[in-house]
Amino acid sequence: MRVYTCDEMRQIEQRADAGGLSYRQMMENAGWRATAILLHWWRQSHPAQPVMRVAIFCGKGGNGGDGLVMARHLSAAGMAVVVVLCQGQPVPAHSAANLQLLRGRSIPIYQLGEAAVDQLAAEADVLIDAVYGTGFHGEMDDRGRQAAALMNSAPGTVWAVDVPSGVAGDSGHIDPGAVQANFTVALHSYKPAHLVYPAAGHSGQLVLADIGIPASCDPVQPAFHVTDAQQVFTALPPRQQDTHKGDFGKLLAVVSSGDMPGAGQICTAGALRVGTGLVRVAIPRPLVAQYAPHLPEAVYLPLPQSEDGSAAPGAAPVLEKALADSTACVVGCGMGTGQGPAQLLQYLLQHAACPLLLDADALGILSQSPDWLNGVKAPLVLTPHPGEMARLLGISTGQLVANKLQYGRQFIEKYPVTLVLKGAHTLVFSPGCPVVINPTGNPGMSKAGSGDLLSGIIGGLLAQGLSPYLAAVCGVWLHGAAGDRCAARLSQTAMLPTDMQKDLSDLFLAHHR
Ligand SMILES: NC(=O)C1=CN([C@@H]2O[C@H](COP(=O)(O)OP(=O)(O)OC[C@H]3O[C@@H](n4cnc5c(N)ncnc54)[C@H](OP(=O)(O)O)[C@@H]3O)[C@@H](O)[C@H]2O)[C@@H](O)CC1
Ligand SMILES: [K+]
């Protein structure tokens, strides 16, 4: 799946133009393809109504030019089209030329603000948002907001061309007046805002339109990447005939306290289910009897327990031998945030040579002392949800969610870690690598225990020798894909993270692993 930034799109278009596909022709292709997609949808969904009433809101740039091309083709197809110029006359020559082509045809052209426009918007079956596309920057102006408000409040279906107006294509920043589309036709490639939430929610259903740009014009090293199954199953270590458990890594899981035994169990199961050779579980001693019947394959490292049910202060040295013998370590799931767990985390940060994954309570502890990340020798993977990430940064969750890409990038610049920012379409940031947008998963996974399973999966892949970046990218994909299978089997409402273990197995079977 192609995802290119607005800047990358400009360069792609430049290369295409230099290669002989003119800007004018690209605009023609964009408007023509968007028209074909819209007409196909209309005829399928409204078979008894041959004439669609369409109001096309055009800005002054290239996006508006696409809208003007659509007006010509829709009118030629017999649809009742009106054009509303929202920012006056088009500026680019190819947009202006397309306005010129409308003159003399029976297509009414209005300026935004004319009395008839409100009524026409209210009566339209379809409203086309061609106000701003990849050229949008800053805040919407009054006319942009006025046009967006008309489209958003109209009863018809809103189709956005390329990007819903008011949504910044790269950062995903959402203007308060932004268009809420039912459908968005993305031109040539998806843009980050189509896939990164909450901006993605403004696009509605996405349709990708080929506008004739050859793949040779695409960037060699794009800033974003969307994971696919082939990438995941190529990266997973093969299981040769002549192997033993030592070939598949040793994971140390420092997890669970008295009131959260399940978190560590789910994490451990996740690690085992992705093929880890050996999982050692460091938990407060009284929990071992609870764990063992469910996870007989694990090896246990009992820790002294404090009164609050978590590991007691002074327990850290118990980890020494196991840590030295591990190929990865997961810390946090349900382990508590008291003095004992804090000492365990600090010990691991100071002594681990193997990759270390920090989740849940480990992130809670870290948010009190983020400087603990300085000078850590072990490669680190952090797997916060937005609340945990916001606490790490000392900002509100709302601030974080509105600017996930910006904060994620800034964080890995400050601390060279692999950051898995969880949520719908989880993001993976890692120094020197494209930002990965994970396409798998569903709202049925928003349940306690889901993150613990993910930590186990990524931890298990780390233990088997995948780089932090690949372990994170493959781990979130597998977790989401198992969740999608589980939802199909049990429903998003009823599915549980523990159910997803079966779907992980089915997923591996389906890919002959
Ligand atoms: N390039 C190509 O060959 C092809 C491009 N195609 C299409 O063109 C789109 C890109 O076209 P674009 O670059 O002209 O930008 P677009 O999104 O129309 O800009 C909106 C206009 O609004 C303005 N504006 C921006 N922010 C504003 C604000 N806050 N408040 C007020 N005004 C603001 C901005 O003017 P500015 O302020 O920058 O001078 C600009 O004039 C792309 O998404 C695709 O649909 C396709 O046809 C395929 C070929
Ligand atoms: K638009």
Side-chain angles (χ1 to χ4, degrees):
M1 190 190 278
R2 292 190 298 248
V3 187
Y4 298 136
T5 63
C6 298
D7 202 38
E8 285 169 342
M9 271 312 299
R10 275 184 281 278
Q11 292 171 24
I12 289 167
E13 287 157 358
Q14 260 175 28
R15 285 191 284 269
D17 181 62
L21 180 65
S22 67
Y23 283 108
R24 176 76 185 270
Q25 187 61 48
M26 280 184 269
M27 180 170 283
E28 184 64 23
N29 294 353
W32 165 247
R33 281 303 303 149
T35 301
I37 290 164
L38 172 60
L39 285 175
H40 178 76
W41 166 81
W42 174 258
R43 287 169 181 152
Q44 296 276 315
S45 55
H46 299 77
Q49 194 183 337
V51 178
M52 162 174 49
R53 290 161 300 175
V54 196
I56 307 182
F57 291 81
C58 297
K60 64 177 175 168
N63 200 247
D66 296 346
L68 296 169
V69 174
M70 289 183 78
R72 176 161 38 87
H73 290 301
L74 284 166
S75 171
M79 304 301 148
V81 179
V82 297
V83 166
V84 181
L85 298 178
C86 303
Q87 298 175 309
Q89 296 302 303
V91 174
H94 38 291
S95 298
N98 277 301
L99 180 60
Q100 217 35 53
L101 284 181
L102 294 187
R103 311 265 183 218
R105 292 173 195 249
S106 57
I107 301 175
I109 299 173
Y110 296 90
Q111 301 289 333
L112 188 70
E114 279 188 58
V117 170
D118 289 20
Q119 180 76 11
L120 288 165
E123 287 170 1
D125 299 306
V126 166
L127 302 106
I128 293 179
D129 161 28
V131 183
Y132 313 117
T134 53
F136 175 65
H137 51 82
E139 303 292 319
M140 289 172 98
D141 64 353
D142 288 345
R143 286 184 293 179
R145 286 201 179 135
Q146 194 186 338
L150 273 176
M151 287 184 265
N152 287 345
S153 61
T157 305
V158 178
W159 281 72
V161 179
D162 210 9
V163 184
S165 294
V167 174
D170 289 351
S171 68
H173 177 76
I174 304 167
D175 188 278
V179 167
Q180 178 64 59
N182 300 103
F183 294 87
T184 294
V185 180
L187 302 175
H188 182 68
S189 76
Y190 296 110
K191 320 297 177 289
H194 290 136
L195 303 174
V196 175
Y197 282 92
H202 278 258
S203 291
Q205 199 174 316
L206 286 170
V207 191
L208 187 63
D210 179 351
I211 60 167
I213 300 176
S216 58
C217 297
D218 288 348
V220 180
Q221 286 184 309
F224 286 82
H225 177 73
V226 179
T227 321
D228 61 36
Q230 193 198 353
Q231 183 193 5
V232 172
F233 289 98
T234 307
L236 295 181
R239 295 185 96 82
Q240 311 289 6
Q241 288 295 330
D242 182 22
T243 54
H244 58 87
K245 66 177 184 241
D247 295 329
F248 295 98
K250 295 176 185 172
L251 180 72
L252 173 62
V254 183
V255 290
S256 281
S257 56
D259 54 359
M260 281 202 266
Q265 287 183 14
I266 295 171
C267 168
T268 305
L272 288 166
R273 291 287 180 191
V274 293
T276 311
L278 175 74
V279 183
R280 287 196 191 93
V281 190
I283 43 176
R285 183 176 294 280
L287 297 185
V288 175
Q290 281 183 45
Y291 263 64
H294 302 290
L295 292 163
E297 295 86 355
V299 172
Y300 293 95
L301 201 62
L303 303 173
Q305 191 178 38
S306 68
E307 274 178 10
D308 70 0
S310 63
V318 178
L319 303 177
E320 186 183 349
K321 260 178 73 181
L323 182 63
D325 187 44
S326 294
T327 54
C329 175
V330 169
V331 54
C333 313
M335 79 167 178
T337 54
Q339 198 191 343
Q343 284 182 4
L344 290 177
L345 175 62
Q346 198 170 22
Y347 179 89
L348 291 169
L349 288 168
Q350 288 171 351
H351 293 89
C354 63
L356 196 54
L357 182 149
L358 275 52
D359 186 32
D361 288 338
L363 298 170
I365 296 167
L366 197 64
S367 65
Q368 304 299 313
S369 319
D371 55 311
W372 287 6
L373 288 178
N374 294 322
V376 175
K377 289 194 196 72
L380 293 179
V381 178
L382 274 59
T383 57
H385 58 56
E388 289 165 341
M389 186 72 210
R391 278 194 290 281
L392 268 176
L393 295 167
I395 58 174
S396 72
T397 307
Q399 276 174 296
L400 184 272
V401 168
N403 298 288
K404 281 194 264 188
L405 289 167
Q406 179 200 329
Y407 284 116
R409 285 195 176 108
Q410 283 172 356
F411 191 80
I412 63 158
E413 260 173 41
K414 187 165 179 194
Y415 305 108
V417 304
T418 294
L419 176 70
V420 177
L421 185 47
K422 296 185 290 198
H425 291 180
T426 290
L427 301 169
V428 179
F429 303 87
S430 201
C433 301
V435 176
V436 169
I437 305 172
N438 184 57
T440 58
N442 65 81
M445 298 167 71
S446 309
K447 290 179 185 132
S450 192
D452 304 313
L453 184 68
L454 176 65
S455 292
I457 292 173
I458 299 176
L461 298 178
L462 283 170
Q464 291 174 71
L466 268 69
S467 69
Y469 179 65
L470 266 185
V473 168
C474 296
V476 292
W477 189 93
L478 287 167
H479 182 247
D484 291 340
R485 281 173 171 263
C486 197
R489 198 166 58 83
L490 299 175
S491 80
Q492 289 188 4
T493 304
M495 64 183 279
L496 294 179
T498 44
D499 298 321
M500 286 165 57
Q501 286 180 46
K502 172 178 163 23
D503 302 286
L504 261 181
S505 315
D506 290 348
L507 193 56
F508 286 122
L509 268 179
H511 290 269
H512 312 290
R513 300 304 288 264

